[in-house]
Amino acid sequence: MTYLLFAIGLVALLVGGEFLVRGASGLARRMNLSPMVIGLTVVGFGTSAPELLVSVQAALAGQPALAIGNVLGSNIANILLILGTSAAIAALVIPLRSVWRDLGIMVLATAMVWVMLLDGTISRFDGMVLIFGLIGFLASAFLLGEPELPDESALPSSLMLAIVMTLGGLVALVIGARLLVDSASEIARTFGVSEAVIGLTVVAVGTSLPELATSVIAALRRQTDIAVGNVIGSNIFNVLAILGITALIAPIPADPRFATVDMVWVAGTTVLLVAMAFALRGVPRWAGFALLATYALYVGLTAL
């Protein structure tokens, strides 16, 4: 039964990702917004729903380390694993002219959380600061985003259908991710893998599976704006919204290792993405394989 649930979760991810990409492209066309804006907001935020659920549940259950570790681990996985996999399939173009502002917000949000972690707690006041930052990001994305209409072939025929496909895709992604995380954790336990390793790898990657499915399908469909925007938007949402909402519910005490070890990886991968955007104007296939190799190194070091 566990292996069957794993298979069902995988199918739900693939189907949900396909519906989400098609629906999001349709939304961009019907609402006169660019695919990048949709990727940064609707897709990026929607695919971060598992991280939000896990972090809020962890905060309410008195497991703050899981709440913070889930967000930091997911942000690392988003850049190294998800962009790496997507680029290995098809080279990604980063439209610097339209995304430089969002890259800056991602860097600023990362720096803010690093500073907040230095005193050992993300307080309710810190949570309020993060939420205000989220509001500013949303306003800039919608007010300053420039329309760039996608090819209408294979897009939903109406705005209502686009909304239904987008929401249906998000629901399928969240359900699929939940099934995969639970079944993969159970399978890992049967092979004697420790809870710590499961939390740092299976849970972090599992909650990032919607982003992975969405970005991979977008790359296969050569809709790289959605693939890149999904990762940038998800990383911003993870920091500003998920940690912000979680801290408002309950202040989050932070283990010192988050500031001294994990944030180094988060900041390093963030700077790496910005460097590729400016120097390479995207993520070529060779860089995708390099990102995947780096993620394998990160998982190996974490498991030690």
Side-chain angles (χ1 to χ4, degrees):
M1 179 59 70
T2 302
Y3 288 94
L4 176 60
L5 291 176
F6 184 89
I8 293 174
L10 185 60
V11 171
L13 280 176
L14 296 176
V15 173
E18 177 69 18
F19 269 72
L20 180 56
V21 171
R22 287 176 179 266
S25 298
L27 281 178
R29 176 65 183 89
R30 305 302 167 187
M31 299 177 66
N32 202 33
L33 294 171
S34 74
M36 179 60 70
V37 169
I38 294 295
L40 286 165
T41 54
V42 177
V43 178
F45 291 6
T47 54
S48 288
E51 285 94 335
L52 177 59
L53 294 174
V54 168
S55 294
V56 170
Q57 289 171 0
L60 293 174
Q63 299 173 305
L66 179 57
I68 298 177
N70 174 44
V71 167
L72 301 187
S74 293
N75 276 22
I76 294 169
N78 281 349
I79 294 176
L80 296 181
L81 175 62
I82 294 173
L83 274 187
T85 303
S86 302
I89 293 171
L92 303 177
V93 176
I94 299 179
L96 192 58
R97 183 178 62 85
S98 60
V99 81
W100 65 268
R101 186 184 305 104
D102 306 296
L103 288 171
I105 292 174
M106 183 174 65
V107 171
L108 179 60
T110 301
M112 286 170 56
V113 168
W114 201 345
V115 171
M116 292 174 181
L117 288 172
L118 291 176
D119 66 359
T121 304
I122 299 181
S123 65
R124 282 196 171 92
F125 176 77
D126 293 336
M128 292 178 60
V129 171
L130 294 174
I131 293 299
F132 278 118
L134 175 68
I135 294 172
F137 165 67
L138 286 174
S140 68
F142 279 102
L143 295 177
L144 303 177
E146 298 178 4
E148 180 186 331
L149 304 183
D151 182 4
E152 291 199 37
S153 61
L155 294 186
S157 57
S158 67
L159 176 60
M160 182 57 65
L161 181 57
I163 293 174
V164 170
M165 290 181 69
T166 302
L167 293 179
L170 286 173
V171 170
L173 285 172
V174 173
I175 293 174
R178 183 75 266 169
L179 290 175
L180 269 184
V181 170
D182 290 345
S183 57
S185 297
E186 186 62 33
I187 293 170
R189 290 188 187 96
T190 63
F191 285 95
V193 179
S194 71
E195 292 288 335
V197 173
I198 292 173
L200 288 166
T201 55
V202 175
V203 174
V205 173
T207 54
S208 292
L209 284 174
E211 289 94 331
L212 178 60
T214 302
S215 290
V216 165
I217 291 172
L220 288 170
R221 295 173 61 84
R222 298 300 189 269
Q223 293 173 315
T224 57
D225 277 9
I226 287 181
V228 174
N230 173 37
V231 167
I232 297 174
S234 178
N235 276 19
I236 293 173
F237 183 81
N238 284 349
V239 171
L240 298 181
I242 294 179
L243 285 183
I245 292 171
T246 305
L248 287 178
I249 294 172
I252 313 172
D255 189 285
R257 67 152 287 153
F258 287 128
T260 58
V261 177
D262 300 289
M263 276 306 306
V264 174
W265 278 91
V266 175
T269 53
T270 300
V271 171
L272 179 60
L273 175 56
V274 173
M276 287 190 295
F278 279 89
L280 304 176
R281 294 295 193 273
V283 187
R285 293 191 69 191
W286 65 263
F289 288 109
L291 291 177
L292 289 174
T294 305
Y295 188 69
L297 173 64
Y298 166 73
V299 172
L301 292 175
T302 299
L304 292 178

